[in-house]
């Protein structure tokens, strides 16, 4: 159960421990999904309700196009699609295959002026161009002409002006026999589909996926220790055992393992210092662990336990070298699940430079449930 891990000292990743730790974080996934859904819903609400642009009034017309017969091709003209019509309506017809002096947009503006909308005063060409859209859903002979404008009256007026202009265009252009208006809808407020549900689902899925990827990436980059075997592989030092958190009952299985390791590994040592990789300024954590260590194994050693003195990190005490020279070695305490891998490695390296023997490691604040699952107890 191992694969190559390249991100922390090229060590081997213990997949069993990796997935067990990951499973403990699964509660994050539904929270991330719910958070994503709420955020997506809020964004959708703000974008489409609170700060939504003004809704348009829509008028739709249906026109039927009678194409003329092309003698050269021996068939009806058939190259007028939605794209072509939109270019024609917006007066950009100079590059079309069929040329005509009749300009649809000019005629629309004339019809609007006749209806009381003077160009440059009540309405502009740009407004008309942005309001109209010609669509050919399937049959090239049927056009759906849609007008969308924030002003209800303008929407209807533009639609009527455009319908008349298209009918005139059908008469003026030799590509057509005629263009006929089949119907015109009432001018109605544009209906905006409610996609709040889609936004919420999308946010939930996105939150879930991002949380999964974040968990996997964070655990792959994690330098914390979760099982004793990983500490031994990483630091090439014996792990004397594990200790549960302060105030927790020590399981007999792990207490016996710790007792056996201390008997085996600390036979010759009479005095030791205990340094916690978690102590950044003083020796508070080291004092707690030293006391806990004496409580757990002190009475189980027939010849008595070596004297263990808590000590702060060497970099925090000018008398560290003197104190280390007066003991037989050091025990390093590492809290399970704490991101102290780099500090632990630095501490081991420094102790070696100072000529202090590192007798072993004690993993503290152990999650006994995790270890029981890992060992199958």
């Amino acid at each position: 159960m191992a694969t190559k891990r390249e991100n922390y000292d090229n060590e081997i990743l213990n997949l069993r421990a990796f997935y067990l730790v990951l499973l403990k974080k699964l509660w994050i996934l539904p929270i991330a999904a719910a958070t994503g859904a709420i955020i997506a819903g809020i964004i959708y609400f703000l974008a489409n309700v609170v700060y939504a642009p003004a809704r348009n009034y829509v008028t739709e017309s249906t026109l039927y196009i009678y194409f003329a017969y092309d003698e050269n091709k021996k068939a009806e003209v058939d190259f007028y699609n939605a794209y072509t019509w939109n270019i024609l309506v917006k007066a950009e017809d100079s590059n079309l295959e069929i040329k005509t002096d009749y300009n649809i947009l000019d005629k629309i503006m004339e019809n609007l002026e006749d209806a009381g909308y003077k160009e440059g005063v009540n309405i502009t060409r740009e407004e008309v161009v942005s309001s109209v859209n010609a669509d050919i859903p399937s049959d090239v002979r049927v056009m759906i002409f849609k007008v969308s404008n924030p002003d209800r009256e303008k929407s209807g007026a533009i639609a009527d002006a455009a319908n008349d202009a298209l009918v005139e265009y059908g008469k003026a252009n030799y590509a057509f026999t005629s263009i006929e208006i089949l119907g015109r809808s009432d001018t109605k407020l544009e209906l905006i589909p409610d996609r709040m549900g889609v936004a919420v689902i999308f946010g939930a899925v996105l939150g879930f996926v991002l949380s999964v990827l974040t968990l996997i990436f964070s655990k792959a980059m994690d330098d914390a220790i979760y099982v004793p075997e990983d500490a031994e592989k990483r630091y090439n030092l014996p792990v004397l055992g594990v200790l549960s958190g302060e105030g927790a009952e020590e399981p007999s299985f792990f207490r016996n393992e710790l007792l056996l390791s201390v008997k085996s590994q600390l036979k010759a040592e009479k005095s030791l210092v205990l340094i916690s990789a978690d102590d950044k300024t003083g020796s508070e954590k080291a004092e707690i662990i030293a006391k806990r260590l004496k409580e757990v194994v002190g009475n189980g050693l027939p010849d008595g336990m070596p004297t263990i003195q808590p000590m702060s990190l060497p970099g925090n005490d000018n008398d560290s070298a003197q104190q280390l020279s007066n003991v037989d070695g050091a025990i390093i305490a590492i809290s399970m699940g704490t991101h102290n891998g780099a500090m632990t490695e630095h501490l081991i390296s420094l102790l070696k430079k100072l000529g202090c023997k590192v007798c072993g490691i004690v993993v503290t604040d152990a999650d006994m449930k995790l270890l029981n699952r890992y060992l199958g107890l």
Side-chain angles (χ1 to χ4, degrees):
M1 292 291 294
T3 186
K4 190 64 178 294
R5 176 172 176 168
E6 299 292 344
N7 58 341
Y8 186 81
D9 199 26
N10 293 330
E11 72 179 11
I12 301 299
L13 177 61
N14 186 334
L15 287 180
R16 182 175 176 82
F18 174 82
Y19 290 124
L20 284 174
V21 173
L22 202 60
L23 285 173
K24 288 173 63 65
K25 301 291 186 180
L26 287 183
W27 60 269
I28 294 176
L29 302 184
I31 293 178
T35 303
I38 293 172
I39 292 174
I42 292 173
I43 292 174
Y44 181 86
F45 179 77
L46 292 175
N48 293 276
V49 178
V50 179
Y51 300 108
R55 293 170 64 182
N56 289 324
Y57 286 91
V58 177
T59 309
E60 286 190 353
S61 303
T62 304
L63 299 97
Y64 194 87
I65 304 166
Y66 293 90
F67 288 100
Y69 187 79
D70 190 337
E71 291 291 344
N72 295 325
K73 295 183 178 180
K74 304 300 181 183
E76 287 185 349
V77 175
D78 61 356
F79 53 79
Y80 280 78
N81 54 26
Y83 176 76
T84 304
W85 278 114
N86 274 296
I87 292 178
L88 285 170
V89 170
K90 296 171 184 180
E92 299 174 11
D93 58 352
S94 59
N95 295 322
L96 295 178
E97 184 176 339
I98 295 176
K99 304 291 194 299
T100 177
D101 294 332
Y102 184 90
N103 188 285
I104 298 176
L105 183 59
D106 286 342
K107 186 61 178 177
I108 293 175
M109 299 309 298
E110 289 177 13
N111 293 341
L112 283 170
E113 187 162 355
D114 293 340
Y117 291 90
K118 186 173 179 62
E119 184 177 353
V121 178
N122 310 106
I123 200 167
T124 64
R125 286 177 178 254
E126 291 75 15
E127 183 180 1
V128 172
V129 169
S130 64
S131 298
V132 300
N133 181 68
D135 189 22
I136 306 294
S138 57
D139 191 337
V140 294
R141 294 168 295 184
V142 177
M143 178 198 298
I144 305 298
F145 194 85
K146 181 177 179 180
V147 179
S148 300
N149 193 281
D151 187 289
R152 182 188 181 92
E153 299 301 326
K154 275 187 183 179
S155 178
I158 294 172
D160 292 336
N163 288 342
D164 292 343
L166 287 167
V167 170
E168 290 298 320
Y169 186 70
K171 296 175 182 179
N173 194 306
Y174 63 82
F176 312 99
T177 300
S178 65
I179 296 177
E180 179 183 334
I181 301 173
L182 298 181
R184 173 193 181 280
S185 71
D186 294 333
T187 303
K188 299 177 181 179
L189 189 63
E190 183 180 23
L191 293 177
I192 300 177
D194 184 2
R195 294 192 173 89
M196 175 64 81
V198 175
V200 168
I201 293 173
F202 173 78
V205 172
L206 182 62
F208 182 87
V209 171
L210 288 178
S211 62
V212 169
L213 295 177
T214 301
L215 279 178
I216 292 175
F217 180 76
S218 64
K219 291 305 172 188
M221 297 291 290
D222 194 357
D223 68 345
I225 291 296
Y226 294 96
V227 293
E229 289 75 13
D230 288 347
E232 291 186 343
K233 291 175 184 176
R234 178 182 295 180
Y235 303 116
N236 197 27
L237 290 171
V239 173
L240 302 176
V242 298
L243 288 172
S244 57
E246 186 179 7
E249 184 179 352
E250 203 70 42
S252 59
F253 180 88
F254 295 103
R255 178 184 182 278
N256 292 335
E257 280 195 340
L258 180 59
L259 186 60
L260 290 171
S261 296
V262 170
K263 285 181 180 179
S264 173
Q265 298 294 325
L266 306 180
K267 292 178 181 179
E269 288 75 11
K270 298 300 180 182
S271 60
L272 300 168
V273 292
L274 188 143
I275 306 173
S276 173
D278 298 319
D279 281 330
K280 298 299 185 283
T281 56
S283 60
E284 292 82 4
K285 192 69 179 288
E287 292 172 4
I288 295 172
I289 297 168
K291 180 181 177 181
R292 179 72 170 164
L293 193 59
K294 292 175 185 178
E295 291 174 353
V296 174
V297 301
N299 296 330
L301 295 175
D303 299 328
M305 188 172 180
T307 302
I308 297 179
Q309 294 296 325
M311 177 180 168
S312 63
L313 292 171
N316 292 326
D317 191 344
N318 293 330
D319 298 328
S320 296
Q322 180 64 34
Q323 189 173 355
L324 292 173
S325 66
N326 294 329
V327 295
D328 298 323
I331 297 174
I332 296 176
I334 305 174
S335 293
M336 177 184 286
T338 303
H339 300 288
N340 52 17
M343 176 58 76
T344 302
E345 189 135 5
H346 175 74
L347 176 58
I348 292 171
S349 174
L350 181 58
L351 290 175
K352 289 181 179 179
K353 292 175 183 176
L354 296 174
C356 179
K357 175 185 176 183
V358 181
C359 298
I361 293 172
V362 175
V363 179
T364 66
D365 301 312
D367 184 342
M368 295 304 178
K369 290 183 179 180
L370 175 65
L371 290 176
N372 285 335
R373 292 193 189 102
Y374 177 77
L375 297 174
L377 296 177

